[in-house]
């Protein structure tokens, strides 16, 4: 059975109902917007643009408006048009029936907020019962900005043989960006706050998620945060080599400051939760981590800091 056959039938009435409910939520949040704001125009014309856009999705020729880039003091944001945010949420809902057949179950961010709770439960259980001795706690540097479009599109075509879905996702991935200096056609990066960004990140790092299925280790990923718990140093070295090989092939690098590879005797954090190391004790306590400074990154005897695709012992 192909992924095409697993996609539920696209029902116009159901998709229209989802779109109306999404727009109602957005409209309520923007009630105090300036009278010239586009939300008011969209509200008046919803019976035209929403059905037309949904029909274009069913026909497989939906093309989003250009992203619009905004510059702030501490960040740069590429923003979708409100209508495209709604259409892409509808598309995501249509694709969810395929997730269990495509996305690795150890990729937890695709589950939404419950993914953090599930990760915490799994880590506590492993620390209590298996007492792993080594850890790989890694963070991918500028993950969403670094994803090459051509590789991501190849992955989409590999896992989804539905031509209409391929076309629409390709248009969304390679969407030009409107900036104050004109239009820009990027070859890397996806919109961080787009409805499909979590889906794209799950697809792009699927090779890494799948790599540890047959190893006797605990592997968890939440977006660009990775955790591997190993019982032996041999497992640690094998996992490190495998991880670095796949990240290099995916054209990604690790963040040196946020990555730790080595002994698990000392405490560590993951997804904002602070865990004690595997020293002998009655039980494992979990408390909220204040910040990254709670982790000692300079224990050169027991920790390896990843630098520029390599390691420093």
């Amino acid at each position: 059975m192909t992924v095409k056959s697993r996609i539920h039938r696209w029902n116009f009435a159901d998709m229209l109902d989802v779109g109306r409910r999404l727009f109602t939520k957005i409209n309520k949040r923007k009630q105090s917007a300036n009278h010239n704001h586009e939300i008011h125009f969209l509200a008046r014309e919803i019976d035209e643009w929403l059905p037309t856009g949904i029909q274009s999705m069913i026909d497989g020729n939906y093309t989003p408006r250009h992203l619009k880039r905004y510059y702030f003091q501490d960040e740069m944001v590429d923003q979708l048009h409100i209508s495209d945010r709604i259409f892409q949420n509808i598309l995501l809902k249509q694709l969810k029936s395929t997730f269990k057949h495509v996305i690795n179950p150890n990729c937890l961010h695709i589950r939404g907020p419950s993914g953090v709770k599930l990760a915490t439960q799994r880590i506590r259980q492993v620390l209590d019962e298996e007492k792993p001795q080594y850890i790989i706690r890694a963070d991918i540097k500028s993950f969403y900005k670094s994803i090459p479009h051509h590789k991501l599109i190849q992955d989409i075509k590999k896992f989804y043989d539905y031509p209409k879905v391929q076309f629409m996702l390709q248009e969304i991935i390679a969407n030009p960006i409107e900036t104050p200096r004109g239009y820009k056609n990027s070859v890397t990066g996806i919109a961080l706050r787009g409805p499909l960004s979590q889906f794209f990140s799950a697809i792009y790092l699927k090779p890494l998620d799948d790599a540890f299925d047959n190893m006797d280790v605990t592997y968890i990923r939440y977006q660009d945060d990775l955790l591997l718990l190993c019982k032996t140093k041999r497992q640690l070295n094998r996992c490190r080599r495998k991880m670095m090989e796949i990240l290099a092939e995916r054209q990604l690098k690790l963040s040196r400051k946020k990555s730790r590879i080595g002994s698990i005797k000392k405490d560590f954090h993951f997804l904002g939760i602070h865990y004690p190391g595997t020293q002998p004790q009655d039980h494992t306590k979990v408390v909220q981590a204040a910040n990254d400074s709670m982790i000692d990154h300079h224990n050169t005897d027991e920790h390896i800091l990843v630098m520029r695709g390599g390691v420093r012992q």
Side-chain angles (χ1 to χ4, degrees), residues 67-93:
L67 294 168
K68 195 165 185 179
R69 177 163 289 177
Y70 295 92
Y71 294 91
F72 300 96
Q73 184 175 1
D74 56 347
E75 67 175 339
M76 176 184 70
V77 177
D78 295 332
Q79 192 171 78
L80 286 167
H81 190 265
I82 293 174
S83 62
D84 289 314
R85 181 169 294 277
I86 291 172
F87 292 138
Q88 292 178 28
N89 265 299
I90 296 173
L91 178 57
L92 177 64
K93 186 176 179 63

Side-chain angles (χ1 to χ4, degrees), residues 15-143:
M15 297 168 71
L16 184 62
D17 180 63
V18 171
R20 287 187 180 279
R21 285 189 279 109
L22 286 171
F23 181 78
T24 299
K25 291 181 180 179
I26 296 174
N27 196 18
K28 286 183 178 179
R29 293 200 302 266
K30 297 183 178 294
Q31 283 183 344
S32 59
N34 184 282
H35 67 279
N36 290 324
H37 195 282
E38 61 188 2
I39 190 69
H40 303 302
F41 170 79
L42 291 172
R44 291 192 299 268
E45 304 293 336
I46 190 171
D47 290 332
E48 296 181 13
W49 61 266
L50 183 57
T52 301
I54 290 175
Q55 188 60 54
S56 72
M57 296 174 66
I58 294 174
D59 295 339
N61 54 29
Y62 160 73
T63 301
R65 300 191 188 195
H66 296 165
L67 294 168
K68 195 165 185 179
R69 177 163 289 177
Y70 295 92
Y71 294 91
F72 300 96
Q73 184 175 1
D74 56 347
E75 67 175 339
M76 176 184 70
V77 177
D78 295 332
Q79 192 171 78
L80 286 167
H81 190 265
I82 293 174
S83 62
D84 289 314
R85 181 169 294 277
I86 291 172
F87 292 138
Q88 292 178 28
N89 265 299
I90 296 173
L91 178 57
L92 177 64
K93 186 176 179 63
Q94 296 299 120
L95 294 173
K96 281 186 176 180
S97 62
T98 69
F99 286 2
K100 62 182 178 181
H101 306 289
V102 176
I103 298 173
N104 190 292
N106 292 320
C107 177
L108 298 183
H109 67 263
I110 206 69
R111 300 171 181 257
S114 64
V116 175
K117 181 178 180 181
L118 181 59
T120 303
Q121 292 174 343
R122 188 178 301 176
I123 294 169
R124 294 184 64 181
Q125 181 179 3
V126 171
L127 293 176
D128 284 340
E129 298 177 0
E130 300 183 18
K131 296 293 188 296
Q133 298 300 308
Y134 298 92
I135 183 175
I136 296 178
R137 164 68 179 87
D139 181 276
I140 300 176
K141 184 178 180 180
S142 302
F143 176 42

Side-chain angles (χ1 to χ4, degrees), residues 73-232:
Q73 184 175 1
D74 56 347
E75 67 175 339
M76 176 184 70
V77 177
D78 295 332
Q79 192 171 78
L80 286 167
H81 190 265
I82 293 174
S83 62
D84 289 314
R85 181 169 294 277
I86 291 172
F87 292 138
Q88 292 178 28
N89 265 299
I90 296 173
L91 178 57
L92 177 64
K93 186 176 179 63
Q94 296 299 120
L95 294 173
K96 281 186 176 180
S97 62
T98 69
F99 286 2
K100 62 182 178 181
H101 306 289
V102 176
I103 298 173
N104 190 292
N106 292 320
C107 177
L108 298 183
H109 67 263
I110 206 69
R111 300 171 181 257
S114 64
V116 175
K117 181 178 180 181
L118 181 59
T120 303
Q121 292 174 343
R122 188 178 301 176
I123 294 169
R124 294 184 64 181
Q125 181 179 3
V126 171
L127 293 176
D128 284 340
E129 298 177 0
E130 300 183 18
K131 296 293 188 296
Q133 298 300 308
Y134 298 92
I135 183 175
I136 296 178
R137 164 68 179 87
D139 181 276
I140 300 176
K141 184 178 180 180
S142 302
F143 176 42
Y144 287 91
K145 293 181 180 179
S146 302
I147 297 177
H149 289 173
H150 74 282
K151 279 184 170 290
L152 179 56
I153 291 172
Q154 288 175 356
D155 294 337
I156 294 295
K157 292 180 177 179
K158 176 182 178 182
F159 297 116
Y160 291 88
D161 59 355
Y162 195 9
K164 294 180 179 180
V165 170
Q166 291 178 1
F167 173 81
M168 290 188 287
L169 292 179
Q170 181 172 333
E171 290 294 301
I172 293 169
I173 293 168
N175 195 9
I177 303 170
E178 181 184 352
T179 73
R181 299 179 181 178
Y183 288 94
K184 179 180 179 181
N185 291 292
S186 298
V187 296
T188 61
I190 57 177
L192 180 58
R193 294 178 177 86
L196 292 166
S197 60
Q198 307 295 316
F199 166 71
F200 288 143
S201 69
I203 291 292
Y204 191 68
L205 273 186
K206 179 175 169 60
L208 182 64
D209 299 337
D210 293 345
F212 305 102
D213 283 347
N214 297 323
M215 294 188 184
D216 187 21
V217 298
T218 299
Y219 169 83
I220 294 172
R221 178 168 75 91
Y222 196 97
Q223 298 186 31
D224 55 355
D225 288 313
L226 315 174
L227 182 70
L228 273 155
L229 300 176
C230 307
K231 299 175 183 177
T232 67

